Amino acid sequence: MDGSLLRKEMLRCSNVSTEATESADAYEYDDDEDGCGEVRRARSTLYRTHLFIRTFSMEERPADVTLVTQLSMDRLQMLEQLLSQWEGPVSVALYLSDSETNQLLRFAADSPHIAHRTNVAFHIVYKQGSLYPVNYLRNVALNASMTPFVYLADVDFLPMFGLYDVLRQAVVAQGSMQNKAMVVPAFEAHGYRSPFPRSKAELINQLDAGRLIVFRQDVWAKGHVPTDYDRWRSAAAPYSVGWQPDYEPYVVVGRHVPKYDPRFLGFGWNKVSHIMLLDALGYDFVVLPNAFIVHQPHAPSFEIAKYRSSPVYRRCLKALKGEFVRDLAKMQNARRRAGRIVPAFDNNATESLFIASDTVIRNRRSNRRR
């Protein structure tokens, strides 16, 4: 299906970038000697993007929080589940072909969890190439959010009942959210489905019974262990935790948080790098004692299958990490020269990041309400 025809004749909206192009910005590591040139160049692609593909409006509330996420067509049912337990505004970027966009609109019109919702904003990034631009998608959804705070989420995590109100109350209780990231603890079913816990007490009972575990504790403990789940079990008040290598919690931050690094595509380091950036910029990670999310089991994605099966993919990811470390060092040195406070950072123990380039197509927010 011709994309321009679809957008012109069916969607009748001018808020579309007409073609996928490559950014003119020079990229220091843009070479192919190690076979990773395609991956490096992909970070500069500006994808055809259609913001607010369906009617959007929202009631403005103080300390409001938008759930920001991204997905492809195979995760639409998970989005429905998520919306059944999150009543607040949502900004979601979807990576689709032109024909899939048409399917999405029909799906949304028929869905009992989407059709009546006007506070769910859909933004389409049209498919280009073979790599899944996960952080580009996140940036599109983040840039298009309209509330002062955002919950940076993945669509395969169900929020606890009432999480929207819990997060808004937590923002108010924190006072200033400047350079703060509120951590939402993450869990998953252990081997089989369990009834979704309706409270922290129920969740702890399921943990003790072995039906739930800390998310990925069996395969990637470093990703969430710094949250200090033993302390969380009995915590009644928020508490700060220190960053550690490979930490990748789900967080609530101010809307103008630095963007994700678009060089990381598909599986590997896409969230880790963002959390490292926040730490390098002096963010305090504050764990919420009465909030949680639970991962919903699903088949492995194409991206993780590629990571597991392709030595080239893994080698290129490793190369990107090394480039990332050098960029972080440059950022830190520049901040020192400018006389800005630079948090302690162990370049040997970490593989980190730099301030992500904001090349994503932005929504012109000037009181946009449709």
Coordinates of all heavy atoms in Angstrom, one line a residue, residues 74-75 130-132 216 265-268 270 298-314 317:
D74 N 2.4 -6.8 17.0 CA 2.2 -8.0 17.7 C 1.9 -7.8 19.2 O 1.6 -8.8 19.9 CB 3.4 -9.0 17.5 CG 4.7 -8.4 18.0 OD1 4.9 -7.2 17.9 OD2 5.5 -9.1 18.6
R75 N 2.1 -6.6 19.7 CA 1.8 -6.3 21.1 C 0.6 -5.5 21.4 O 0.4 -5.0 22.5 CB 3.0 -5.6 21.7 CG 4.4 -6.3 21.6 CD 4.4 -7.5 22.6 NE 5.5 -8.4 22.3 CZ 6.8 -8.2 22.8 NH1 7.0 -7.2 23.5 NH2 7.7 -9.1 22.5
S130 N 15.6 -3.0 8.5 CA 15.4 -4.3 9.2 C 15.6 -4.2 10.7 O 15.4 -5.2 11.4 CB 16.5 -5.3 8.6 OG 17.8 -4.9 8.9
L131 N 16.0 -3.0 11.2 CA 16.3 -2.9 12.6 C 15.1 -2.2 13.3 O 14.5 -1.2 12.8 CB 17.5 -2.1 12.8 CG 18.8 -2.7 12.3 CD1 20.0 -1.7 12.3 CD2 19.2 -4.0 13.0
Y132 N 14.8 -2.6 14.5 CA 13.7 -2.0 15.3 C 14.2 -0.8 16.1 O 15.0 -1.0 17.0 CB 13.1 -3.0 16.3 CG 11.9 -2.6 17.0 CD1 10.6 -2.5 16.4 CD2 11.9 -2.2 18.3 CE1 9.5 -2.1 17.1 CE2 10.8 -1.8 19.0 CZ 9.6 -1.7 18.4 OH 8.5 -1.3 19.1
R216 N 13.3 -10.7 36.1 CA 14.5 -11.2 35.5 C 15.6 -11.5 36.5 O 16.8 -11.5 36.1 CB 15.1 -10.1 34.5 CG 14.1 -9.8 33.3 CD 14.8 -9.1 32.2 NE 15.6 -10.0 31.4 CZ 16.5 -9.6 30.4 NH1 16.6 -8.4 30.2 NH2 17.2 -10.5 29.8
L265 N 19.4 0.0 19.0 CA 18.2 -0.5 18.3 C 18.0 -1.9 18.6 O 19.0 -2.6 18.9 CB 18.4 -0.3 16.7 CG 18.8 1.1 16.2 CD1 20.2 1.1 15.8 CD2 17.9 1.4 15.0
G266 N 16.8 -2.4 18.6 CA 16.5 -3.7 18.9 C 16.8 -4.0 20.4 O 16.6 -3.2 21.3
F267 N 17.4 -5.2 20.6 CA 17.6 -5.7 22.0 C 19.0 -5.3 22.5 O 20.0 -5.4 21.7 CB 17.5 -7.2 22.0 CG 17.7 -7.8 23.4 CD1 16.7 -7.8 24.4 CD2 19.0 -8.3 23.7 CE1 17.0 -8.3 25.6 CE2 19.2 -8.9 25.0 CZ 18.2 -8.8 25.9
G268 N 19.1 -4.9 23.7 CA 20.4 -4.6 24.3 C 20.7 -3.2 24.6 O 20.9 -2.4 23.7
N270 N 19.2 -0.5 25.5 CA 18.4 0.6 25.2 C 17.9 1.4 26.4 O 17.9 2.6 26.4 CB 17.3 0.2 24.2 CG 16.5 -1.0 24.7 OD1 15.7 -0.9 25.7 ND2 16.7 -2.1 24.1
H298 N 5.3 -13.6 27.4 CA 5.0 -13.6 25.9 C 6.1 -14.3 25.2 O 7.2 -14.5 25.8 CB 4.8 -12.2 25.4 CG 6.0 -11.3 25.7 ND1 7.2 -11.3 25.0 CD2 6.2 -10.3 26.7 CE1 8.0 -10.4 25.5 NE2 7.4 -9.8 26.5
A299 N 5.9 -14.6 24.0 CA 7.0 -15.2 23.2 C 8.1 -14.3 23.0 O 7.9 -13.0 23.0 CB 6.4 -15.6 21.8
P300 N 9.4 -14.8 22.9 CA 10.5 -13.9 22.7 C 10.3 -13.1 21.4 O 9.8 -13.5 20.4 CB 11.7 -14.9 22.5 CG 11.2 -16.1 23.2 CD 9.8 -16.2 23.0
S301 N 10.8 -11.8 21.5 CA 10.7 -10.9 20.4 C 11.7 -11.3 19.3 O 12.7 -12.0 19.6 CB 10.9 -9.5 20.8 OG 12.3 -9.3 21.2
F302 N 11.5 -10.8 18.1 CA 12.4 -11.1 17.0 C 13.8 -10.5 17.3 O 14.8 -11.0 17.0 CB 11.9 -10.4 15.7 CG 12.8 -10.5 14.6 CD1 13.0 -11.7 13.9 CD2 13.6 -9.4 14.2 CE1 13.9 -11.7 12.8 CE2 14.4 -9.4 13.1 CZ 14.6 -10.6 12.4
E303 N 13.8 -9.3 18.1 CA 15.0 -8.7 18.4 C 15.9 -9.5 19.3 O 17.1 -9.6 19.2 CB 14.8 -7.3 19.0 CG 14.3 -6.2 18.0 CD 12.9 -6.5 17.4 OE1 12.1 -7.0 18.2 OE2 12.7 -6.2 16.2
I304 N 15.3 -10.1 20.4 CA 16.1 -10.9 21.3 C 16.5 -12.2 20.6 O 17.6 -12.7 20.9 CB 15.3 -11.1 22.6 CG1 16.3 -11.7 23.7 CG2 14.2 -12.1 22.4 CD1 15.6 -11.7 25.1
A305 N 15.7 -12.7 19.7 CA 16.1 -13.9 19.0 C 17.3 -13.6 18.1 O 18.3 -14.4 18.0 CB 15.0 -14.4 18.1
K306 N 17.3 -12.4 17.5 CA 18.5 -12.0 16.7 C 19.7 -11.9 17.6 O 20.8 -12.3 17.2 CB 18.2 -10.7 16.0 CG 19.3 -10.2 15.1 CD 19.0 -8.8 14.5 CE 17.8 -8.8 13.6 NZ 17.6 -7.5 13.0
Y307 N 19.6 -11.3 18.7 CA 20.7 -11.1 19.7 C 21.3 -12.4 20.1 O 22.5 -12.6 20.1 CB 20.2 -10.3 20.9 CG 21.3 -10.2 22.0 CD1 22.3 -9.3 22.0 CD2 21.3 -11.1 23.1 CE1 23.2 -9.2 23.0 CE2 22.2 -11.1 24.1 CZ 23.2 -10.1 24.0 OH 24.2 -10.1 25.0
R308 N 20.4 -13.4 20.3 CA 20.9 -14.7 20.8 C 21.5 -15.5 19.7 O 22.4 -16.3 19.9 CB 19.7 -15.5 21.4 CG 19.2 -14.9 22.7 CD 17.9 -15.6 23.1 NE 17.5 -15.1 24.4 CZ 16.3 -15.4 25.0 NH1 15.4 -16.1 24.3 NH2 15.9 -14.9 26.2
S309 N 21.1 -15.3 18.4 CA 21.5 -16.2 17.4 C 22.6 -15.6 16.5 O 23.3 -16.3 15.7 CB 20.3 -16.5 16.5 OG 19.8 -15.4 15.8
S310 N 22.8 -14.3 16.6 CA 23.7 -13.6 15.6 C 25.0 -13.1 16.3 O 24.9 -12.1 17.1 CB 23.0 -12.4 14.9 OG 24.0 -11.7 14.2
P311 N 26.1 -13.7 16.1 CA 27.4 -13.2 16.6 C 27.7 -11.8 16.1 O 28.3 -10.9 16.8 CB 28.5 -14.2 16.1 CG 27.7 -15.4 15.8 CD 26.4 -15.0 15.3
V312 N 27.3 -11.5 14.9 CA 27.5 -10.1 14.3 C 26.7 -9.1 15.1 O 27.2 -8.0 15.5 CB 27.1 -10.1 12.8 CG1 27.2 -8.6 12.3 CG2 28.0 -11.0 12.0
Y313 N 25.5 -9.4 15.4 CA 24.6 -8.5 16.2 C 25.3 -8.2 17.5 O 25.4 -7.1 18.0 CB 23.3 -9.1 16.4 CG 22.2 -8.3 17.0 CD1 21.2 -7.6 16.2 CD2 22.2 -8.0 18.4 CE1 20.2 -6.8 16.8 CE2 21.2 -7.2 19.0 CZ 20.2 -6.6 18.2 OH 19.3 -5.8 18.7
R314 N 25.7 -9.3 18.2 CA 26.4 -9.1 19.5 C 27.7 -8.3 19.4 O 28.0 -7.5 20.3 CB 26.6 -10.4 20.2 CG 25.3 -11.2 20.5 CD 25.5 -12.3 21.5 NE 26.4 -13.4 20.9 CZ 25.9 -14.4 20.1 NH1 24.6 -14.5 19.9 NH2 26.8 -15.3 19.6
L317 N 26.7 -4.6 19.0 CA 26.3 -4.1 20.2 C 27.4 -3.7 21.1 O 27.5 -2.7 21.8 CB 25.3 -5.0 20.9 CG 24.7 -4.5 22.3 CD1 24.0 -3.2 22.1 CD2 23.8 -5.6 22.9

